[in-house]
Amino acid sequence: MALHFCDAFWGADFADQSGYEAILQRLQDGRHMCKDVEDLLKMRAMAEEKHGRELVAIARKAEGQTEIGTLKASFDKMKAEIEKTGNLHIQLSERIREEVKKIESFREHQREQRKKLEEIIEKLQKPKMVLHKKTVESKSFYEQRCKEAVEAEQAVVKTTNVTISTHRQSEKVLNRARLCRQAANLAEKQYRWNVDQLEKTRQDWESTYRSACECYEEVRNILEQCDIITDNNYFIEKKKTGCCPPAPIEFLCYCDVDTNGSVQRPETKRLSVVLPRIVPSSGSREAGSNLGEPYTLVQEREGATEKKYMVLYDFKAQEADELSIIKGEVVTVTEKGEDGWWTAWRNGISGLVPGTYLTKISLQSYSSHLATPHPEHNPINWNKANLDMTLK
């Protein structure tokens, strides 16, 4: 099976350009190799021309005029064959030079095409990195202003509780709290704007990067005598950096980040997925008859089609309230959190998964998936695995 450049050279994180640099290095190596082939053929053409002219000169300098009869005819035939061989070598040198001109034209054309693509990518890559830096700085500035606003508001509460504080002191503290909150709101707006602009630039760069990879991949198709699939697969397996693009930078509200810097999710959402969901036996009441019951496997399979999502990438649960998913399986989304984490169901087990790892599927696609289940998606195995993770 043929591998593709656009599926093997993504960076490990948002600012990582190692995949793009690997492809550029391969293009430079290919340009040097093309030049080496040109030099080789030029030397071969010179050698063929020199050898052919020497053979022609030898044939024309030979005498043999004193012989008569059939021996003279044989000698003349031999001279003619030597001259013919020399002319063939001269013609071969001319053909080689024609091939050299084609290679030079091909190399020049590829240089122009590569230059255009590299200029486009550089124009997108530079603002992407600038925006990424601004986003990181605005995030730090936003968190600092929020921290100052919280401290100022706490000072207001302390001043209110102290009866001996003067009216002037209270006004001063309230003023500072109001100004700090305004500064925090402005910093939040700037942070959100930077995140939005960075996401737009990232999408443009990712689209252009895919197109450039596909264009680079077509270069080898011109060399008809090469095993294109084998060569491409070898290079990709040797130099690949990542099979999926890095996750986009998302806005993180200061209120949802604890003192350790990790993201906090609403407590109700965490409690809703701590306990495993048990599929009712055949002797229990019908699935879905009681709206207060936990969401079951039967409800998941009979749920509305618009809630079915296909998994795009593998995700391994890191916390007790998260759900491990595998690329290609289908899950049911019951809630979409504003922080980008969605509550998903699969085989009677619920957990949080990244929303960017899922894509909505149609009724026809879901029916086809149910008809041919993945061998690893055994409900019993998944229930046991998630139950063990929850108990830990």
Side-chain angles (χ1 to χ4, degrees), residues 175-189:
N175 240 355
R176 173 174 170 74
R178 184 168 59 256
L179 292 175
C180 288
R181 179 51 60 187
Q182 290 176 355
N185 292 336
L186 290 174
E188 179 179 348
K189 290 181 180 179

Side-chain angles (χ1 to χ4, degrees), residues 90-207:
I90 294 174
Q91 292 176 9
L92 177 60
S93 69
E94 293 175 354
R95 291 183 180 180
I96 293 175
R97 286 191 174 94
E98 290 177 359
E99 292 299 322
V100 170
K101 290 180 180 179
K102 292 180 181 179
I103 295 176
E104 290 177 347
S105 176
F106 167 76
R107 181 166 58 85
E108 184 64 22
H109 175 72
Q110 292 303 319
R111 186 186 70 82
E112 294 176 358
Q113 294 296 321
R114 185 178 67 250
K115 186 177 179 180
K116 291 179 182 179
L117 288 172
E118 289 177 4
E119 287 177 354
I120 294 174
I121 290 181
E122 289 295 334
K123 287 181 180 179
L124 291 173
Q125 185 174 346
K126 186 176 180 180
K128 187 192 79 164
M129 300 307 297
V130 171
L131 281 172
H132 178 258
K133 183 179 179 180
K134 287 184 178 179
T135 302
V136 173
E137 292 175 352
S138 63
K139 179 183 178 183
S140 301
F141 184 75
Y142 162 66
E143 291 176 347
Q144 180 64 29
R145 289 295 175 266
C146 287
K147 183 179 179 181
E148 292 174 358
V150 171
E151 291 175 351
E153 290 167 355
Q154 290 176 351
V156 171
V157 175
K158 291 179 180 179
T159 305
T160 305
N161 294 334
V162 178
T163 57
I164 61 174
S165 60
T166 64
H167 178 73
R168 185 175 180 181
Q169 289 177 335
S170 300
E171 278 295 322
K172 185 177 180 181
V173 172
L174 287 172
N175 240 355
R176 173 174 170 74
R178 184 168 59 256
L179 292 175
C180 288
R181 179 51 60 187
Q182 290 176 355
N185 292 336
L186 290 174
E188 179 179 348
K189 290 181 180 179
Q190 183 64 38
Y191 178 28
R192 286 184 182 275
W193 186 86
N194 285 337
V195 170
D196 293 340
Q197 294 301 312
L198 179 60
E199 178 61 16
K200 293 178 182 177
T201 305
R202 183 194 69 84
Q203 292 177 358
D204 292 341
W205 184 88
E206 184 176 316
S207 176

Side-chain angles (χ1 to χ4, degrees), residues 263-371:
V263 177
Q264 293 180 343
R265 304 186 187 93
E267 192 63 23
T268 55
K269 186 180 294 184
R270 300 182 67 88
L271 292 176
S272 63
V273 294
V274 170
L275 297 178
R277 272 63 176 177
I278 308 300
V279 179
S281 62
S282 58
S284 64
R285 61 174 65 90
E286 296 183 358
S289 60
N290 189 343
L291 297 177
E293 293 180 345
Y295 198 85
T296 64
L297 177 61
V298 177
Q299 288 172 312
E300 179 186 351
R301 296 174 67 91
E302 295 179 355
T305 307
E306 60 269 13
K307 295 183 179 179
K308 299 297 180 182
Y309 286 77
M310 177 73 73
V311 178
L312 297 176
Y313 314 107
D314 293 348
F315 172 72
K316 186 175 181 181
Q318 302 294 329
E319 303 292 341
D321 61 348
E322 296 175 354
L323 178 66
S324 296
I325 52 179
I326 298 177
K327 177 181 178 182
E329 68 180 357
V330 175
V331 298
T332 301
V333 175
T334 59
E335 184 179 356
K336 297 181 180 179
E338 295 181 357
D339 57 357
W341 289 86
W342 296 0
T343 303
W345 288 82
R346 187 206 59 249
N347 302 328
I349 301 299
S350 170
L352 295 174
V353 298
T356 55
Y357 282 43
L358 306 178
T359 183
K360 200 170 185 180
I361 62 175
S362 62
L363 176 60
Q364 182 179 1
S365 301
Y366 179 59
S367 301
S368 174
H369 178 81
L370 291 178

